[in-house]
Amino acid sequence: MTLTDLPAGFRDEEQRGYVRRVIHDRLADDRDQQECRYLMRFWWQLGMTYQEVTLDQLRANLGEAALRLVEELIDAVRTSPEAIDDWIDTVEGSLPVVRDRGFEEAETWPGGTARPTP
């Protein structure tokens, strides 16, 4: 199944950017390189109208938990911007920010949350 329709499902560029930050900050853990690589390909797909990654590739390369969240996001994007907001709230409420090992080793870990302040 193609995912090239996803960029059109967001309310605006701000919402798409917010979802991308949530994927980057909450799902893409570099301790699992393969999963992280495909999550970032999906991250890229959210803004591209050409095919960067397929659902079959995601199913083959993501763990069960990440795949469930990605599939829920795909459904939300195809449903409504409000469903996307609900997905964001669910993920932020259930997953911590992934600690980047490079930042931690350099003691430069940025503070704050993924959600921009209004």
Side-chain angles (χ1 to χ4, degrees):
M1 173 186 289
T2 182
L3 302 175
T4 57
D5 64 318
L6 296 180
F10 294 92
R11 176 182 303 114
D12 52 29
E13 187 59 39
E14 183 177 348
Q15 186 181 46
R16 178 186 3 265
Y18 194 90
V19 167
R20 290 172 110 182
R21 281 189 298 278
V22 170
I23 290 169
H24 177 273
D25 293 349
R26 308 273 176 158
L27 298 177
D29 189 339
D30 67 349
R31 289 175 290 186
D32 184 336
Q33 288 290 308
Q34 187 73 356
E35 181 173 273
C36 186
R37 181 178 301 112
Y38 278 87
L39 281 167
M40 294 313 294
R41 287 181 71 187
F42 177 68
W43 176 94
W44 193 255
Q45 182 71 61
L46 294 177
M48 299 296 135
T49 55
Y50 61 83
Q51 185 165 293
E52 180 65 32
V53 67
T54 66
L55 190 53
D56 287 339
Q57 289 173 323
L58 292 172
R59 287 178 176 149
N61 291 285
L62 299 184
E64 185 178 323
L67 179 60
R68 178 181 49 80
L69 291 171
V70 165
E71 288 177 334
E72 288 173 1
L73 175 59
I74 292 167
D75 289 343
V77 170
R78 289 178 173 158
T79 301
S80 71
E82 294 76 23
I84 296 169
D85 290 338
D86 291 343
W87 181 88
I88 291 168
D89 291 341
T90 298
V91 173
E92 286 189 326
S94 62
L95 294 177
V97 172
V98 173
R99 295 293 188 182
D100 185 292
R101 293 176 293 171
F103 279 123
E104 285 181 349
E105 288 175 13
E107 297 182 3
T108 58
W109 179 251
T113 64
R115 185 172 293 230
T117 51

